[in-house]
Amino acid sequence: MSQYANANDSEPEATRRTASDAESSRASRGWWDRNADDYQREHGAFLGDDRFVWGPEGLDEADAALLGPAADLKGRRVLEIGAGAAQCSRWLAAQGALPVALDLSHRQLQHALRIAAEAGGAPVELVEADAGALPFRDGSFDLVCSAYGALPFVADPVRVLREVRRVLRPGGRFVFSVTHPLRWAFPDEPGPEGLSVAASYFDRTPYVEQDESGRAVYVEHHRTLGDRVRDVVAAGFRLVDLVEPEWPDWNTQEWGGWSPLRGHLIPGTAIFVCTADAAQRP
């Protein structure tokens, strides 16, 4: 299931089983610290050093403007959750925003420092922390964003969403992308073998890769589309748009189970556009 699988990994056992929030967080930190180098080497050119890409389809924030018009970003304080090497935050900074890039993985943030040093510019503000316990005061940010960061990997997404709601000012916008829930019913294969339903869409049992001792080394959690909507509302947000990017003709790459073949037939990414209305605080 993991779109992030790496050929250099030892061969963990793939299974479906429960995984607690603590186990999921520990597995995610370890996995990204071990695999950040290979991930950036394999996908860095596609992601760019200062580009804001919402998912493997290549939908660019410069075109989509899901956070609002680029001209309106100037001076806005923006939190990026699950920032990786902070590519999105660097794009935001280039628009005049004041981004903070937060990630669980120390090694991913080291890549953010590397890219900044290679570019010869000042790095954006970096914070190493868990998205379920954000180290910021209430109402600290005008906008929050997350491109495949944190939410696919946490057992309790409402806890993360409530933290986001807490640090976002009333009227602020939160936009996040995740694997489209429909994809969980299909094999994670880019070719024709990935076009036939192989599992129940309603089976919410997490996907876990574990070592020989049974310790989780990678965890990904499935939520149905309805679950995601209910999570957003339970955290005090109003859902204002749900974007399902179509696969563009220019994008010929394969990324895990994402490919032009599948992308022209079924959605691969879901992007939730939410506002923190004061009347809906949880």
Side-chain angles (χ1 to χ4, degrees):
M1 177 65 67
S2 167
Q3 68 267 32
Y4 308 101
N6 187 305
N8 293 332
D9 288 340
S10 58
E11 292 296 327
E13 177 192 10
T15 186
R16 300 287 292 272
R17 67 166 175 81
T18 59
S20 69
D21 220 26
E23 183 180 29
S24 300
S25 178
R26 183 174 58 248
S28 290
R29 186 189 298 273
W31 196 95
W32 284 105
D33 279 346
R34 290 191 305 275
N35 291 281
D37 293 0
D38 290 323
Y39 179 84
Q40 295 298 332
R41 184 162 42 247
E42 182 176 357
H43 301 298
F46 178 78
L47 295 172
D49 288 345
D50 55 0
R51 183 177 168 219
F52 195 135
V53 182
W54 283 109
E57 295 85 0
L59 180 65
D60 201 306
E61 175 60 14
D63 300 317
L66 300 181
L67 292 170
D72 292 347
L73 295 173
K74 187 174 182 178
R76 297 290 188 94
R77 189 156 170 80
V78 187
L79 174 62
E80 183 188 3
I81 293 175
Q87 287 96 336
C88 298
S89 285
R90 268 187 298 279
W91 180 86
L92 288 164
Q95 313 313 306
L98 305 172
V100 176
L102 179 143
D103 202 276
L104 184 68
S105 166
H106 183 74
R107 186 58 181 164
Q108 283 280 63
L109 294 177
Q110 285 183 319
H111 279 284
L113 293 173
R114 171 187 60 79
I115 293 172
E118 290 173 353
V124 299
E125 184 176 348
L126 306 177
V127 174
E128 183 179 335
D130 191 307
L134 298 175
F136 308 107
R137 292 193 299 257
D138 295 3
S140 298
F141 296 94
D142 301 300
L143 298 164
V144 180
C145 58
S146 184
Y148 276 81
L151 284 163
F153 311 105
V154 297
D156 187 358
V158 175
R159 181 167 70 98
V160 173
L161 291 167
R162 284 179 172 156
E163 275 290 272
V164 171
R165 178 65 185 85
R166 180 183 64 78
V167 303
L168 190 60
R169 66 166 178 79
R173 177 170 287 206
F174 174 40
V175 185
F176 68 94
S177 63
V178 295
T179 303
H180 197 290
L182 182 63
R183 296 294 292 271
W184 280 74
F186 294 83
D188 198 39
E189 297 289 344
E193 63 274 25
L195 298 177
S196 298
V197 171
S200 170
Y201 168 76
F202 301 102
D203 182 1
R204 295 161 173 86
T205 308
Y207 170 84
V208 177
E209 294 176 3
Q210 58 188 19
D211 60 22
E212 293 179 356
S213 67
R215 181 175 179 270
V217 296
Y218 180 93
V219 180
E220 198 167 342
H221 292 267
H222 171 48
R223 306 287 287 164
T224 68
L225 199 60
D227 291 338
R228 290 287 184 200
V229 171
R230 284 185 289 275
D231 291 346
V232 163
V233 174
F237 287 101
R238 180 168 63 93
L239 181 66
V240 297
D241 199 1
L242 173 58
V243 180
E244 298 166 296
E246 297 186 42
W247 195 276
D249 291 336
W250 63 261
N251 189 352
T252 59
Q253 76 154 356
E254 292 184 358
W255 182 332
W258 279 256
S259 67
L261 173 67
R262 298 183 79 195
H264 284 115
L265 296 173
I266 57 175
T269 297
I271 309 174
F272 295 80
V273 183
C274 316
T275 57
D277 292 350
Q280 293 189 236
R281 185 176 282 278

